[in-house]
Amino acid sequence: MDTRSWIDQVIKQDQIDKYLINGKDFINENEIHNKLNMNKDCSKEKVRAILDKSLAVERLSFDETATLLNVTDEDMWEEMYEVAAEVKRRVYDNRIVFFAPLYCGNLCVNSCRYCGFRKENAGEERKVLTAEEIRRETDYILSQGHKRVIVVYGEHPKTDAKYIAESMKTVYDVKKKSRSGKNSYIRRINVNAAPMSIEDLKMLKEVGIGTYQVFQETYHKDTYKSAHPKGLKANYRWRLYSLHRAMDAGIDDVAIGALFGLYDWRFEVMGLLYHADDLEKQFGIGPHTISFPRLTPASGSELSIASKYLVNNKDFKKLVTVLRLAVPYTGLIITARENPEVRDEVVKVGCTQLDASTKIGIGAYDKAAHNEKEDKQQFTIGDNRTLDQVVNKLAEMGKITSFCTAGYRCGRTGDKIMNLLETGTEGKFCKLNAVLTFREYLDDYATEETKKIGEELIKKEFEEINNMEFYKNNKLLSVINDYYKRISEGERDLYV
Ligand code: SF4
């Protein structure tokens, strides 16, 4: 099929219309602006009452979130940072989950004004990875110690759903020996790809998709129109309902996000909340994670430098804080677009997932393995630290790295994981799996220095585990001790 004919058959209007309510989508801009304008009373009493609700791990209402977004008193913000950190601790404890992005193709039929991959950008060298090249990329990612990847694609017939499914199978098939001589492999593949039909999404479900991630970029309709002037991505509602279609395809683990810097950050936070709310209303399951990339300079993109809504570091920390407080049991992802100082700072107020050793050029991991120069990228990377360096830094901060992928493989996803998170049960399993996977990492990939500090952390974790009633009551202490011993002796991939 030629590109034009392919484009013509992608969007299925009936797979948009079925989710509309009275012909309307869930983003009512007047309502969002009204919420932001009507909730300007940010007295300490009022804000603290809202923070108490967050501490009780309850999702905030739109009005409550708007109130937090309107806080101007910097002392109050300091309190909010502390509460956000405490909320994170209550739901996710001290764990951070890691992943690596794997860019498989940069051919794209779209014209997003902030992106170097847009089709008009003649300066971009275009490439779609072959199966062999994907194997080499995966090999390098495994050599760093990763167990979880997010595969990323432009929107193009050469990287359609069939290609995505094949590339996922290729990634899952790669095995690589670690330092301990055991086979290492990717245990979970998340997908960041263009909106698809329910039929195409079912194909990804069959090959074992983890999370399906589609960012709306901006919820503000005029801004969306001007940032996405043509191509398939110009259709706001086709994108807005991508994850509703995923739910209908049986993928109950989905991720939303906005590209901060295109429009007012307070509006976008509200947009994300309305998105989460509609998923919950229509399917009973909110998003698993929220991402908040910031516009950073992309080669060949004027908008990425000139936008009047660029978000500074201070406001960035504030928006992450409000998200943590508004949706306590939703994961928050901070990527290597941000520099190490910013990442270390916002991790404190509640992020749960990070990438590291990140390369975003097409075929860039293999190039790194051979010390070759990288091609141009979709955006600029701010944090070039290796996985070991980031793990080490987090361990210094008392945070344990988790490579756990058990929830997905035990069927703890969607509404099941939401219930477990709300009751605090999922966190208990995660704590054990974090220790087990961290032990694997320390033995298989860590430097001596990281191993030393990591082992101290594990010791502390065990002290806590041994004293927690939950593990005693559920007879999990003997299980964890047995699994830990077996992993220390070289067994791999044991989880609860
Ligand atoms: S942001 Fe995505 S859809 Fe838009 S041009 Fe870049 S790769 Fe294509």
Side-chain angles (χ1 to χ4, degrees):
M1 203 187 295
D2 63 48
T3 305
R4 188 68 257 166
S5 318
W6 182 81
I7 290 174
D8 287 344
Q9 54 79 56
V10 170
I11 296 178
K12 316 259 187 281
Q13 190 59 40
D14 59 321
Q15 294 189 16
I16 298 173
D17 294 344
K18 65 185 284 199
Y19 305 112
L20 302 175
I21 294 173
N22 299 327
K24 295 195 172 119
D25 61 56
F26 56 83
I27 295 295
N28 178 338
E29 292 182 7
N30 285 339
E31 188 177 311
I32 294 180
H33 285 304
N34 281 341
K35 296 274 177 212
L36 287 167
N37 289 330
M38 304 295 283
N39 287 287
K40 296 230 157 131
D41 165 16
C42 303
S43 65
K44 284 200 164 85
E45 300 67 43
K46 192 171 175 198
V47 172
R48 284 184 184 139
I50 296 171
L51 296 182
D52 282 345
K53 198 171 162 192
S54 301
L55 280 170
V57 194
E58 282 178 47
R59 185 154 74 77
L60 300 184
S61 68
F62 300 128
D63 288 300
E64 289 161 340
T65 307
T67 302
L68 297 187
L69 288 166
N70 279 323
V71 170
T72 50
D73 176 356
E74 289 301 322
D75 290 340
M76 199 65 238
W77 274 107
E78 291 300 325
E79 264 186 67
M80 287 161 67
Y81 299 146
E82 275 174 34
V83 174
E86 176 56 22
V87 169
K88 151 80 169 58
R89 203 194 56 72
R90 286 189 187 181
V91 181
Y92 291 92
D93 204 350
N94 57 343
R95 288 181 307 279
I96 301 285
V97 168
F98 273 86
F99 66 94
L102 200 179
Y103 278 66
C104 294
N106 61 359
L107 280 168
C108 195
V109 298
N110 293 316
S111 307
C112 312
R113 286 177 56 221
Y114 47 81
C115 177
F117 290 174
R118 69 187 203 282
K119 78 168 193 249
E120 292 79 10
N121 187 8
E124 188 71 35
E125 205 182 301
R126 307 288 168 164
K127 188 164 175 47
V128 172
L129 296 181
T130 62
E132 181 47 36
E133 287 166 331
I134 290 173
R135 272 191 278 278
R136 291 209 294 267
E137 294 292 284
T138 309
D139 195 271
Y140 182 88
I141 290 171
L142 286 169
S143 75
Q144 302 297 298
H146 284 290
K147 299 284 184 276
R148 182 189 287 242
V149 296
I150 180 153
V151 279
V152 187
Y153 311 81
E155 184 163 28
H156 195 272
K158 289 199 172 136
T159 49
D160 61 2
K162 226 163 128 210
Y163 172 87
I164 295 174
E166 284 306 316
S167 58
M168 287 170 65
K169 281 196 232 163
T170 306
V171 171
Y172 273 135
D173 278 347
V174 178
K175 306 274 179 295
K176 185 173 178 69
K177 291 243 180 299
S178 69
R179 195 159 62 199
S180 64
K182 300 291 170 190
N183 265 336
S184 184
Y185 42 88
I186 295 298
R187 298 173 186 170
R188 177 186 174 106
I189 303 177
N190 299 336
V191 174
N192 177 309
M196 280 173 239
S197 66
I198 296 170
E199 297 71 30
D200 282 352
L201 287 161
K202 282 184 178 163
M203 226 190 286
L204 305 192
K205 168 81 181 160
E206 264 169 40
V207 292
I209 185 173
T211 308
Y212 177 49
Q213 186 183 69
V214 179
F215 302 159
Q216 188 61 24
E217 320 293 13
T218 172
Y219 288 93
H220 186 257
K221 289 168 185 166
D222 279 351
T223 305
Y224 187 93
K225 205 165 161 190
S226 94
H228 310 101
K230 42 189 173 158
L232 287 165
K233 200 160 166 179
N235 190 319
Y236 178 94
R237 284 183 171 173
W238 177 244
R239 195 166 189 88
L240 194 67
Y241 288 106
S242 312
L243 304 174
H244 290 61
R245 290 192 294 279
M247 294 278 184
D248 271 335
I251 302 170
D252 60 5
D253 193 327
V254 298
I256 61 174
L259 178 56
F260 281 86
L262 291 174
Y263 189 62
D264 176 50
W265 63 270
R266 292 178 176 87
F267 182 96
E268 304 292 17
V269 169
M270 294 296 286
L272 287 164
L273 220 64
Y274 274 84
H275 199 162
D277 182 73
D278 201 67
L279 286 166
E280 273 182 33
K281 269 195 196 130
Q282 297 210 30
F283 301 95
I285 309 168
H288 185 177
T289 57
I290 297 180
S291 296
F292 27 84
R294 267 194 295 183
L295 206 51
T296 52
S299 68
S301 161
E302 226 177 89
L303 183 67
S304 68
I305 300 154
S307 169
K308 67 175 181 181
Y309 293 105
L310 294 179
V311 179
N312 62 35
N313 287 352
K314 213 164 150 194
D315 289 343
F316 187 60
K317 185 174 173 185
K318 289 178 177 173
L319 76 88
V320 178
T321 301
V322 174
L323 284 170
R324 175 72 295 142
L325 295 166
V327 279
Y329 37 80
T330 301
L332 297 182
I333 300 180
I334 173 92
T335 70
R337 275 178 183 235
E338 301 296 339
N339 67 38
E341 294 72 34
V342 172
R343 288 229 288 182
D344 293 346
E345 194 55 29
V346 298
V347 158
K348 289 185 202 150
V349 292
C351 293
T352 56
Q353 285 195 33
L354 270 74
D355 54 341
S357 297
T358 299
K359 307 262 176 253
I360 55 170
I362 315 297
Y365 290 112
D366 192 47
K367 284 202 165 97
H370 296 94
N371 292 322
E372 288 172 33
K373 205 170 149 279
E374 276 182 50
D375 295 333
K376 284 188 193 131
Q377 305 169 340
Q378 191 190 24
F379 52 84
T380 320
I381 287 285
D383 188 349
N384 287 300
R385 289 176 296 177
T386 63
L387 178 59
D388 189 78
Q389 287 168 328
V390 186
V391 170
N392 189 302
K393 173 76 188 175
L394 289 172
E396 267 179 23
M397 292 159 73
K399 300 195 185 300
I400 187 165
T401 297
S402 174
F403 295 94
C404 171
T405 52
Y408 159 70
R409 292 185 289 162
C410 292
R412 294 201 297 267
T413 60
D415 57 347
K416 285 170 229 78
I417 199 168
M418 285 296 157
N419 291 339
L420 291 168
L421 282 169
E422 282 168 35
T423 56
T425 312
E426 177 63 10
K428 305 280 191 319
F429 288 111
C430 297
K431 192 172 179 72
L432 303 185
N433 288 325
V435 169
L436 298 175
T437 55
F438 196 44
R439 179 75 261 169
E440 288 184 346
Y441 175 80
L442 295 181
D443 289 340
D444 287 345
Y445 300 101
T447 55
E448 276 311 308
E449 197 195 324
T450 303
K451 200 168 171 179
K452 211 166 131 210
I453 177 168
E455 278 170 348
E456 284 303 314
L457 199 54
I458 287 184
K459 220 188 274 168
K460 239 181 86 221
E461 289 294 303
F462 262 113
E463 277 165 25
E464 284 179 26
I465 290 167
N466 285 327
N467 285 318
M468 285 170 85
E469 290 302 316
F470 178 86
Y471 299 120
K472 289 184 201 160
N473 295 343
N474 290 285
K475 302 193 176 27
L476 282 165
L477 285 181
S478 56
V479 178
I480 179 75
N481 281 308
D482 174 48
Y483 281 11
Y484 187 77
K485 184 167 168 280
R486 283 161 59 189
I487 283 178
S488 306
E489 288 166 359
E491 230 179 295
R492 289 291 172 265
D493 207 8
L494 299 171
Y495 52 87
V496 291

